[in-house]
Each structure stands twice: as C-alpha cells, then as structure tokens.
Amino acid sequence: MEELRKTLSLYELNALVRQTLESGMPDDYWVEAELSEVREVRGHCYMELIQKEAHSNTPVARASAKCWASTWNLVKPHFERVTHQQLHAGMKVLLKVYPQFHENFGFSWIVADIDPTYTLGDMARKRQEIIQQLKDEGVFELQRELRLPMFCQRIAVISAEGAAGYGDFCRQLAENEYGFHFDVTLFPAVMQGEQVEQSIIAALDKIWNTSEAQPCFDAVVIIRGGGATADLSGFDTLALAENVAQFPLPIITGIGHDRDESILDMVSHTRVKTPTAAAAFLISNLKQVLDAINDAQVRITRYAQQKIKQEVVIDALYNRIIAAITQRVVALQGKVEAIEAKMPIIIDRKLQHERHRLQLIEEKTKSLDPALLLKRGYSITLKDGHTIRDASALRPGDEIETRFTNGSVRSTVNP
C-alpha cells in the first residue's frame, strides 16, 4: 500500500491549485467590500478586504487584493478625480477582480478595475446620514449663531506645521495694506490621512484649555494647503463635525478644495476655499469695523458741528432778544419818566376840576334845601313822615303835620 501511495511536493500541490483556479474561475468578478488596510509599495497597491455583518462590526469574510502598478497608475487618478478621495481604510469599494494563485506567494485577488461611482454613492449616503444626525442633535447651525468679534485679531490656527498654506495665511495677514496687526498662534495637526479627525479634535481641545485659563483667542482658523487634493475624507466625519459645531469660538475653514463643501465646512461659522481667502476674510472683517468707526466719527463730527452751529444761532438770537428787550425797556422807562413828570400837574388839575364840580353840586344842593322855601313863606305837609303833594292822597281821619319856617302843627283831615 505504501508503494502505491502517490505523493506531491508542495510546489506541485500549489501548481495544481493554480491550474484548478485558472480553469475553474477564468472570468473577472465585481465584488463589494470594505477596505481595512491600503498601502502602496513600489508603485503597486496592496489592499486588505473585509465584509462585516449588516448590523455589527463583526467580520464574516477577509481577503487580500493587489493592484499592479500598470493598472494602479490608471485606476488611481480616475478614482480620485471622480470621488475627490483617496482609497483609505473604512471605505466601501466595488472592485473588478480575478483570482491568482502563485506557487511561492499563495492566493490573492488581483484588482483589474475600481468603480468610483459605487464609492461616491456610499460616501454621499454616509454624508447625508451624518448631516441628518447633526441636525437631529440640534448642533448643525450652532456655529452660525456665534458672533465674530468686531476686533477679531487674536487667531488660533489649526494647520500642518510648516505647510505652505499656513505660510501663505500668515504672510497675507502680516502684509495687509491697512497695517492691521494680528496675533497668530499655531496648533499643529495632521491635515491629511486617517489621523485628521483625532488630530484636529486634539488641537481644538488644546485651544479651549488655553482659552479657559485666560481668554486669548477671538476665532479659530482651520486651514490646509499643499496636500493631496483628493485626500479629504478626514473632514467628513461625525466626531469632528460635532466638535467643531459645538466649539464656543467662531471657526473659519479654508481647507483648499473646490468640490462640494465638506461636512466640516457645513458646520463651521464661515467657509472659504483657501488659506489666503481665510486671511482676506479676517482682513475684510477688520476693514469693515474700521469703516464703521470712521463713518461713526464723521457722523459724530457732523452732529457736533451742527450742534455748534445751532448754539451760535441760539446765542445770536438770544443777544437779539436781549437787545430788543433792553431797547424796549429803555423806551418804556422814558415814557414812565415822562408820565411821572406830568403826574403832579395832571393830578393838581384833576383836583381843581373836582373841587369846582363839588362847589357847583354844593350850591345846587343848597338851592334845593327845603329850609329856604320855608323861609320864603312856604309850608310842607307830611303824613307819616312823607311829603304830601296831592290832596287825594289823604283820607278823612288821617293825621298830618304842617311845617313852617318856625315850628309845625298837627291836624286831622275832616270829611
């Protein structure tokens, strides 16, 4: 039995596997998978593929894949041009693959093509899910409710240390045509790759801890320049968006890309395209404040001048009124003095006139004195003290009194 047993070397066994795969699976296959690792080595791209359960992170399948340089040099730029993303861990992809088994290196899937539209659709779905979650949490618009300080000059910058974009930003601020002064403090962070989220969040924490100890920043600027234009996945994460949205200082983003806004852009206070645009925005904000101050100064000066003119007019009117009153008083005083001079003469004349009138009245009164009539032989008949001028006023039995010049008599009226 031992002599009839056929044995194979490992190489022969692996060759048999290769021949079986080549004959049994001769076609290319489109496969959906998630990337758990991506790396480039000498122009080739090596990928670790994974599939997870629908509602958990438990892996149910794993495989390795390779994209040779001749294919990768064509696939990569097309994928990045369409998605504006680089291949990275956690990304879902649709790969066109065929099996390959090498006697020395073992089994691997060889990538012949990558469909960027599949990844683009998955990215869009994830973006919308994150945006909706931020809105449901009530934090999506929080940054826009903050007010940029009028004198926004103390700036905390999150950027890669030594990055060209950071240098452009600082140079633009320093060389502004108005001579404005800005205090810029850099908080270095990774601005591309898988560490973007954690690095920027850590920088925000440092800024806030510094501000808590002593308020020293008016705004935060997150800028990126000089990196790969397609490597923007780190700015579309939920954790980073939540941290930025709820940060207590206004955050300005200038990440340096022309595609649709990243989620980081959407939740920031102000979004501009480039680091230099961020600097221009800060300069423009301060220029608007300067213009407002100059305008207020002009208006205050104009108002003060108007008030001074009004006071001059009022002073002139007051002087005219005082002069008119003085003139009127002087005129009236002259009349009063003239009247005072004439008063003794007028009074004397009036008294003489009244004395003469009294004399006339006295003489007239004397001429009407009943005593004079009695002296002339006339008599006066009285009844009950009243003068009787008509006999018909008397009745039989009435007592009457007759007065003469000397004496009087009483009598009774007979029928």
Side-chain angles (χ1 to χ4, degrees), residues 21 50 61 66 74 128 146 157 217 238 244 329 354 400 411:
L21 283 174
I50 193 171
K66 302 181 181 71
L74 299 175
Q128 290 305 314
L146 298 177
V157 178
F217 298 115
L238 177 62
V244 168
V329 169
E354 293 299 325
I400 60 174
S411 58

Side-chain angles (χ1 to χ4, degrees), residues 27 49 70 132 139 164 188 191 236 288 302 349 390:
D27 301 323
L49 309 180
S70 57
Q132 188 58 50
V139 301
M191 301 305 289
D236 279 340
Q288 291 176 6
R302 186 182 299 118
R349 287 179 182 175
D390 189 352

Side-chain angles (χ1 to χ4, degrees), residues 129-178:
E129 289 176 354
I130 292 174
I131 292 170
Q132 188 58 50
Q133 183 169 344
L134 293 170
K135 290 181 178 179
D136 293 342
E137 293 173 357
V139 301
F140 191 77
E141 297 286 343
L142 284 182
Q143 269 284 313
R144 290 177 180 82
E145 295 177 7
L146 298 177
R147 187 169 184 176
L148 199 68
M150 290 181 63
F151 299 95
C152 188
Q153 296 171 278
R154 302 173 302 174
I155 313 301
V157 178
I158 298 177
S159 180
E161 192 169 10
Y166 173 65
D168 293 340
F169 174 82
C170 293
R171 187 163 44 255
Q172 182 96 347
L173 290 182
E175 297 175 358
N176 73 87
E177 59 181 306
Y178 309 107

Side-chain angles (χ1 to χ4, degrees), residues 30 151 245 265:
W30 284 102
F151 299 95
D265 291 324

Side-chain angles (χ1 to χ4, degrees), residues 354-373:
E354 293 299 325
R355 286 194 195 100
H356 179 67
R357 194 168 66 85
L358 287 174
Q359 288 175 356
L360 292 176
I361 293 173
E362 184 179 1
E363 290 176 0
K364 187 175 181 181
T365 302
K366 288 180 179 180
S367 66
L368 296 176
D369 188 356
L372 294 176
L373 295 175

